[in-house]
Amino acid sequence: MRGDELMIFSGNGNRPLAERIAERLGVPLGSATVGRFPDGEISVKLEQNIRGGDVFVVQSTCPPVNENLMELLIMIDCFRRASARRITAVVPYFGYARQDRKDESRVPISAKLAANLIRTAGADRVLTTDLHSAQIQGFFDIPVDHLYAQPVLLRYFQGLGFSGVVVGPDVGSIKMARSFSKHLESRLAVVDKRRVSDRETVVGFLIGEVEGMDALIVDDMISTGGSIVEAARVVKKKGARDVYLCATHPVFCGEAMRTLSEAPVRQVVVTDTIPLTQPLDRIEVISVAGLLGDAIHRIHMNESVSSLFN
Ligand code: R5P
């Protein structure tokens, strides 16, 4: 084997996406066994020589978050000890991202800790999609390529001929909603949501008009579904016509599937940064494999990644 070969490996966090990325790049998925010892500890065995390789390991740190994060760390350690030339952690969904600051006393900044762990394990670079807050890039002391799923999601809604109003389900999502509304030449509205605990939010009122229009509610992730579905109820009550929900990361934990299936919405559109564990009616999954595959190709070839978005 010559050095510098492009190699794509996968943990168990999102193997279907890793397979799609490898297919896009026209390379076979690297051969490795990522399993468990009888006591539950993670075992990793590379079944091929990777010496001198340009290794990309695809692992979303989605639920089970700690298992997937630990798999990623142990895989990176394994690649380092097997003499990879460069290791890029491809983390389509970066878990713990919502714990990115001390918003009350005596709490951790777990996003920073997760970033430190990935670096310490031996990653040289990180490639990720729609971080909960862009500042998390600075938590890593290594280069981070931060991709946005927006172009692939926009293409879908442009294909539907969507026009109406784009709604942010909370004040934090205004930037994303504004960008969608600009590209879809639609109006903009925001729901005033306040989080009272990690499980409970209180939805206040709507800023903007939705009456008689189709509404597209956009967010970076759907976790329990509470925020986005409450926002859907608010816009529906205010007279919106068809309501679409759109988010990059389908975390879908707890009662999310039930919450979404009972929601007054026409369609839920998400990407495959996280694999779905159950089918859901009215859900459309758009792949980011092309986006990630193209970025990996450019990183490997030392070409600009930002020009993907120009
Ligand atoms: C919050 O800041 C995020 O952007 C999402 O709105 C939130 O994390 C979604 O969580 P859930 O689906 O549990 O309301």
Side-chain angles (χ1 to χ4, degrees):
M1 183 197 83
R2 68 173 179 84
D4 212 25
E5 196 176 317
L6 170 62
M7 298 174 175
I8 312 289
F9 283 85
S10 179
N12 292 308
N14 195 345
R15 202 174 167 88
L17 176 59
E19 282 165 358
R20 277 177 224 128
I21 292 172
E23 196 183 320
R24 169 86 175 197
L25 289 162
V27 299
L29 200 56
S31 183
T33 306
V34 184
R36 296 291 181 274
F37 290 109
D39 60 0
E41 290 178 357
I42 291 161
S43 65
V44 175
K45 170 82 176 111
L46 303 181
E47 314 288 359
Q48 66 178 80
N49 176 21
I50 61 135
R51 197 171 283 269
D54 190 13
V55 171
F56 292 79
V57 52
V58 181
Q59 179 79 331
S60 278
T61 52
C62 52
V65 183
N66 299 333
E67 290 287 315
N68 286 331
L69 177 61
M70 201 64 202
E71 270 190 10
L72 175 63
L73 301 175
I74 292 176
M75 289 184 81
I76 292 170
D77 181 75
C78 183
F79 294 126
R80 192 161 54 93
R81 293 175 194 283
S83 302
R85 183 183 62 78
R86 182 171 71 170
I87 304 163
T88 302
V90 181
V91 191
Y93 169 71
F94 179 72
Y96 281 116
R98 283 175 288 178
Q99 296 180 41
D100 61 352
R101 65 191 184 286
K102 283 189 73 170
D103 52 2
E104 56 180 312
S105 25
R106 300 186 296 277
V107 295
I109 303 181
S110 311
K112 171 67 177 153
L113 175 63
N116 283 347
L117 290 170
I118 291 170
R119 168 75 181 111
T120 304
D124 297 296
R125 317 179 54 89
V126 170
L127 173 62
T128 188
T129 325
D130 283 338
L131 286 167
H132 179 60
S133 59
Q135 298 89 311
I136 292 172
Q137 290 170 78
F139 290 2
F140 291 91
D141 292 325
I142 48 178
V144 175
D145 288 301
H146 183 202
L147 307 182
Y148 297 95
Q150 195 193 60
V152 289
L153 292 167
L154 271 175
R155 226 172 287 139
Y156 178 79
F157 286 101
Q158 280 158 344
L160 286 187
F162 179 88
S163 72
V165 55
V166 176
V167 182
D170 59 21
V171 174
S173 58
I174 288 183
K175 210 173 153 199
M176 187 176 183
R178 190 189 297 127
S179 179
F180 267 81
S181 78
K182 186 177 143 216
H183 287 95
L184 291 170
E185 297 174 1
S186 295
R187 298 175 65 159
L188 179 64
V190 182
V191 172
D192 179 31
K193 172 196 93 171
R194 285 176 206 142
R195 187 166 281 284
V196 289
S197 75
D198 56 350
R199 283 169 194 269
E200 209 189 331
T201 57
V202 177
V203 175
F205 55 91
L206 181 76
I207 306 165
E209 294 292 319
V210 297
E211 193 171 351
M213 289 180 267
D214 288 344
L216 166 60
I217 308 180
V218 296
D219 208 348
D220 62 330
M221 69 177 84
I222 299 174
S223 184
T224 63
S227 313
I228 206 161
V229 169
E230 269 315 308
R233 292 193 204 286
V234 170
V235 298
K236 207 63 195 167
K237 214 160 122 194
K238 295 284 181 185
R241 268 190 333 211
D242 285 337
V243 177
Y244 296 83
L245 307 183
C246 172
T248 303
H249 306 298
V251 181
F252 290 1
C253 62
E255 294 294 303
M257 288 312 224
R258 193 162 60 84
T259 306
L260 288 167
S261 65
E262 291 170 359
V265 300
R266 174 153 189 172
Q267 206 172 36
V268 181
V269 180
V270 293
T271 79
D272 57 354
T273 57
I274 298 173
L276 297 189
T277 48
Q278 294 169 48
L280 176 71
D281 274 356
R282 296 174 294 160
I283 196 156
E284 185 72 34
V285 181
I286 317 269
S287 186
V288 289
L291 186 68
L292 285 165
D294 291 351
I296 289 172
H297 176 76
R298 284 165 188 253
I299 292 167
H300 178 63
M301 302 301 285
N302 290 324
E303 290 172 0
S304 163
V305 170
S306 64
S307 55
L308 265 180
F309 297 96
N310 298 330

